[in-house]
Tab-separated table of all heavy atoms in Angstrom:
chain	number	residue	atom	x	y	z
G	1	GLU	N	-26.444	-0.452	-9.466
G	1	GLU	CA	-27.794	-0.364	-8.916
G	1	GLU	C	-27.824	-0.842	-7.465
G	1	GLU	O	-28.388	-0.173	-6.587
G	1	GLU	CB	-28.760	-1.202	-9.749
G	1	GLU	CG	-30.180	-1.190	-9.201
G	1	GLU	CD	-31.146	-2.024	-10.020
G	1	GLU	OE1	-30.947	-2.135	-11.253
G	1	GLU	OE2	-32.117	-2.567	-9.441
G	2	MET	N	-27.218	-1.987	-7.206
G	2	MET	CA	-27.234	-2.539	-5.854
G	2	MET	C	-26.518	-1.627	-4.868
G	2	MET	O	-27.023	-1.327	-3.786
G	2	MET	CB	-26.575	-3.922	-5.876
G	2	MET	CG	-26.479	-4.625	-4.524
G	2	MET	SD	-25.030	-4.139	-3.531
G	2	MET	CE	-23.697	-4.795	-4.550
G	3	PHE	N	-25.341	-1.146	-5.267
G	3	PHE	CA	-24.546	-0.335	-4.354
G	3	PHE	C	-25.197	1.025	-4.103
G	3	PHE	O	-25.145	1.556	-2.981
G	3	PHE	CB	-23.130	-0.158	-4.907
G	3	PHE	CG	-22.098	0.082	-3.848
G	3	PHE	CD1	-21.586	-0.961	-3.097
G	3	PHE	CD2	-21.621	1.363	-3.602
G	3	PHE	CE1	-20.631	-0.748	-2.118
G	3	PHE	CE2	-20.665	1.594	-2.628
G	3	PHE	CZ	-20.166	0.536	-1.885
G	4	ALA	N	-25.838	1.569	-5.125
G	4	ALA	CA	-26.525	2.853	-4.953
G	4	ALA	C	-27.667	2.727	-3.959
G	4	ALA	O	-27.868	3.602	-3.108
G	4	ALA	CB	-27.034	3.353	-6.301
G	5	GLN	N	-28.424	1.626	-4.056
G	5	GLN	CA	-29.538	1.424	-3.129
G	5	GLN	C	-29.015	1.205	-1.716
G	5	GLN	O	-29.554	1.746	-0.747
G	5	GLN	CB	-30.380	0.228	-3.567
G	5	GLN	CG	-31.623	0.003	-2.733
G	5	GLN	CD	-32.577	1.188	-2.765
G	5	GLN	OE1	-33.034	1.588	-3.829
G	5	GLN	NE2	-32.871	1.762	-1.609
G	6	ALA	N	-27.954	0.414	-1.588
G	6	ALA	CA	-27.369	0.176	-0.268
G	6	ALA	C	-26.835	1.477	0.323
G	6	ALA	O	-26.999	1.747	1.522
G	6	ALA	CB	-26.261	-0.868	-0.369
G	7	ALA	N	-26.193	2.299	-0.502
G	7	ALA	CA	-25.662	3.573	-0.019
G	7	ALA	C	-26.785	4.495	0.431
G	7	ALA	O	-26.665	5.180	1.457
G	7	ALA	CB	-24.829	4.237	-1.112
G	8	GLN	N	-27.860	4.512	-0.321
G	8	GLN	CA	-29.004	5.345	0.057
G	8	GLN	C	-29.570	4.914	1.408
G	8	GLN	O	-30.044	5.741	2.190
G	8	GLN	CB	-30.089	5.256	-1.027
G	8	GLN	CG	-31.307	6.121	-0.753
G	8	GLN	CD	-32.337	6.022	-1.868
G	8	GLN	OE1	-32.022	5.691	-3.010
G	8	GLN	NE2	-33.591	6.304	-1.547
G	9	ASN	N	-29.504	3.618	1.684
G	9	ASN	CA	-30.003	3.077	2.950
G	9	ASN	C	-28.947	3.120	4.061
G	9	ASN	O	-29.160	2.530	5.125
G	9	ASN	CB	-30.456	1.628	2.753
G	9	ASN	CG	-31.620	1.506	1.794
G	9	ASN	OD1	-32.361	2.460	1.575
G	9	ASN	ND2	-31.781	0.325	1.204
G	10	GLU	N	-27.817	3.779	3.793
G	10	GLU	CA	-26.700	3.857	4.740
G	10	GLU	C	-26.167	2.473	5.091
G	10	GLU	O	-25.765	2.195	6.217
G	10	GLU	CB	-27.110	4.606	6.020
G	10	GLU	CG	-27.545	6.048	5.759
G	10	GLU	CD	-27.905	6.794	7.028
G	10	GLU	OE1	-28.109	6.135	8.071
G	10	GLU	OE2	-27.974	8.029	6.979
G	11	GLN	N	-26.154	1.595	4.081
G	11	GLN	CA	-25.669	0.236	4.261
G	11	GLN	C	-24.519	-0.082	3.314
G	11	GLN	O	-24.290	-1.245	2.955
G	11	GLN	CB	-26.817	-0.768	4.050
G	11	GLN	CG	-27.973	-0.621	5.022
G	11	GLN	CD	-27.563	-0.899	6.458
G	11	GLN	OE1	-26.784	-1.807	6.727
G	11	GLN	NE2	-28.065	-0.111	7.392
G	12	ALA	N	-23.797	0.950	2.890
G	12	ALA	CA	-22.627	0.766	2.032
G	12	ALA	C	-21.562	1.774	2.434
G	12	ALA	O	-21.876	2.876	2.891
G	12	ALA	CB	-22.988	0.950	0.558
G	13	ARG	N	-20.310	1.393	2.257
G	13	ARG	CA	-19.189	2.259	2.612
G	13	ARG	C	-18.017	1.966	1.689
G	13	ARG	O	-17.840	0.828	1.252
G	13	ARG	CB	-18.785	1.995	4.066
G	13	ARG	CG	-17.843	3.039	4.665
G	13	ARG	CD	-17.478	2.687	6.098
G	13	ARG	NE	-16.312	1.822	6.185
G	13	ARG	CZ	-16.186	0.813	7.037
G	13	ARG	NH1	-17.178	0.516	7.865
G	13	ARG	NH2	-15.091	0.084	7.059
G	14	VAL	N	-17.244	2.988	1.389
G	14	VAL	CA	-16.040	2.810	0.579
G	14	VAL	C	-14.860	3.375	1.354
G	14	VAL	O	-14.855	4.552	1.730
G	14	VAL	CB	-16.153	3.520	-0.781
G	14	VAL	CG1	-14.876	3.309	-1.594
G	14	VAL	CG2	-17.358	3.001	-1.559
G	15	ASP	N	-13.866	2.536	1.611
G	15	ASP	CA	-12.643	2.960	2.279
G	15	ASP	C	-11.531	3.059	1.236
G	15	ASP	O	-11.425	2.209	0.343
G	15	ASP	CB	-12.241	1.966	3.363
G	15	ASP	CG	-13.249	1.925	4.510
G	15	ASP	OD1	-14.132	2.807	4.563
G	15	ASP	OD2	-13.160	0.998	5.336
G	16	GLN	N	-10.699	4.088	1.363
G	16	GLN	CA	-9.648	4.306	0.374
G	16	GLN	C	-8.307	4.602	1.038
G	16	GLN	O	-8.250	5.218	2.098
G	16	GLN	CB	-10.004	5.469	-0.552
G	16	GLN	CG	-11.280	5.270	-1.348
G	16	GLN	CD	-11.446	6.297	-2.448
G	16	GLN	OE1	-10.537	6.529	-3.236
G	16	GLN	NE2	-12.616	6.919	-2.511
G	17	MET	N	-7.266	4.160	0.368
G	17	MET	CA	-5.881	4.479	0.733
G	17	MET	C	-5.276	5.188	-0.473
G	17	MET	O	-5.281	4.653	-1.591
G	17	MET	CB	-5.111	3.187	1.042
G	17	MET	CG	-3.622	3.350	1.207
G	17	MET	SD	-2.854	1.702	1.443
G	17	MET	CE	-1.114	2.136	1.403
G	18	THR	N	-4.795	6.418	-0.280
G	18	THR	CA	-4.237	7.179	-1.391
G	18	THR	C	-2.817	7.612	-1.075
G	18	THR	O	-2.435	7.796	0.085
G	18	THR	CB	-5.086	8.431	-1.698
G	18	THR	OG1	-5.112	9.269	-0.534
G	18	THR	CG2	-6.511	8.048	-2.078
G	19	LEU	N	-2.032	7.776	-2.123
G	19	LEU	CA	-0.662	8.265	-2.007
G	19	LEU	C	-0.513	9.444	-2.950
G	19	LEU	O	-0.721	9.309	-4.161
G	19	LEU	CB	0.343	7.166	-2.371
G	19	LEU	CG	1.825	7.556	-2.272
G	19	LEU	CD1	2.203	7.906	-0.836
G	19	LEU	CD2	2.714	6.417	-2.790
G	20	ALA	N	-0.223	10.599	-2.388
G	20	ALA	CA	-0.125	11.844	-3.168
G	20	ALA	C	-1.408	12.068	-3.964
G	20	ALA	O	-1.390	12.527	-5.111
G	20	ALA	CB	1.088	11.802	-4.092
G	21	GLY	N	-2.527	11.727	-3.347
G	21	GLY	CA	-3.826	11.961	-3.964
G	21	GLY	C	-4.291	10.898	-4.938
G	21	GLY	O	-5.429	10.949	-5.423
G	22	GLU	N	-3.452	9.911	-5.224
G	22	GLU	CA	-3.808	8.848	-6.168
G	22	GLU	C	-4.186	7.574	-5.410
G	22	GLU	O	-3.516	7.206	-4.441
G	22	GLU	CB	-2.650	8.552	-7.112
G	22	GLU	CG	-2.307	9.694	-8.047
G	22	GLU	CD	-3.464	10.035	-8.978
G	22	GLU	OE1	-4.109	9.093	-9.490
G	22	GLU	OE2	-3.726	11.232	-9.178
G	23	PRO	N	-5.276	6.876	-5.843
G	23	PRO	CA	-5.713	5.668	-5.128
G	23	PRO	C	-4.695	4.533	-5.222
G	23	PRO	O	-4.183	4.230	-6.297
G	23	PRO	CB	-7.022	5.299	-5.826
G	23	PRO	CG	-6.945	5.936	-7.173
G	23	PRO	CD	-6.151	7.196	-6.985
G	24	VAL	N	-4.398	3.956	-4.070
G	24	VAL	CA	-3.504	2.796	-4.007
G	24	VAL	C	-4.309	1.539	-3.701
G	24	VAL	O	-4.035	0.462	-4.233
G	24	VAL	CB	-2.421	3.004	-2.927
G	24	VAL	CG1	-1.554	1.761	-2.789
G	24	VAL	CG2	-1.558	4.208	-3.279
G	25	ALA	N	-5.334	1.666	-2.852
G	25	ALA	CA	-6.211	0.533	-2.532
G	25	ALA	C	-7.595	1.072	-2.188
G	25	ALA	O	-7.719	2.142	-1.576
G	25	ALA	CB	-5.653	-0.281	-1.375
G	26	ILE	N	-8.615	0.332	-2.590
G	26	ILE	CA	-9.999	0.717	-2.316
G	26	ILE	C	-10.778	-0.532	-1.915
G	26	ILE	O	-10.637	-1.582	-2.546
G	26	ILE	CB	-10.677	1.367	-3.549
G	26	ILE	CG1	-9.895	2.599	-3.997
G	26	ILE	CG2	-12.126	1.746	-3.227
G	26	ILE	CD1	-10.449	3.258	-5.250
G	27	LYS	N	-11.589	-0.408	-0.881
G	27	LYS	CA	-12.385	-1.538	-0.401
G	27	LYS	C	-13.857	-1.136	-0.329
G	27	LYS	O	-14.194	-0.082	0.221
G	27	LYS	CB	-11.903	-2.005	0.972
G	27	LYS	CG	-12.497	-3.345	1.406
G	27	LYS	CD	-11.775	-3.900	2.609
G	27	LYS	CE	-12.250	-5.322	2.923
G	27	LYS	NZ	-11.876	-6.278	1.876
G	28	LEU	N	-14.721	-1.989	-0.882
G	28	LEU	CA	-16.168	-1.783	-0.847
G	28	LEU	C	-16.765	-2.611	0.280
G	28	LEU	O	-16.476	-3.802	0.399
G	28	LEU	CB	-16.810	-2.205	-2.177
G	28	LEU	CG	-16.263	-1.578	-3.461
G	28	LEU	CD1	-17.047	-2.080	-4.658
G	28	LEU	CD2	-16.271	-0.057	-3.399
G	29	TRP	N	-17.609	-1.971	1.077
G	29	TRP	CA	-18.266	-2.640	2.194
G	29	TRP	C	-19.784	-2.583	2.034
G	29	TRP	O	-20.327	-1.587	1.562
G	29	TRP	CB	-17.907	-1.962	3.515
G	29	TRP	CG	-16.483	-2.092	3.924
G	29	TRP	CD1	-15.449	-1.267	3.582
G	29	TRP	CD2	-15.917	-3.105	4.764
G	29	TRP	NE1	-14.277	-1.702	4.149
G	29	TRP	CE2	-14.531	-2.828	4.882
G	29	TRP	CE3	-16.445	-4.212	5.424
G	29	TRP	CZ2	-13.676	-3.615	5.648
G	29	TRP	CZ3	-15.584	-4.999	6.181
G	29	TRP	CH2	-14.226	-4.704	6.285
G	30	LEU	N	-20.448	-3.651	2.449
G	30	LEU	CA	-21.898	-3.685	2.568
G	30	LEU	C	-22.245	-3.995	4.015
G	30	LEU	O	-21.450	-4.603	4.735
G	30	LEU	CB	-22.501	-4.750	1.640
G	30	LEU	CG	-22.291	-4.541	0.140
G	30	LEU	CD1	-22.781	-5.760	-0.634
G	30	LEU	CD2	-22.990	-3.283	-0.336
């Protein structure tokens, strides 16, 4: 709920690192 509201307000971001299309690391930002 919190992240959806923040994302709607353009106040959330998700950064990802993938290897051969598979996630290796993911970071959530507010």
Side-chain angles (χ1 to χ4, degrees):
E1 178 180 329
M2 178 276 294
F3 206 79
Q5 185 60 58
Q8 182 179 336
N9 296 338
E10 299 182 344
Q11 299 296 320
R13 193 181 88 220
V14 180
D15 294 349
Q16 299 192 50
M17 170 184 173
T18 60
L19 181 63
E22 294 298 318
V24 176
I26 302 177
K27 192 168 188 67
L28 306 182
W29 293 88
L30 297 173

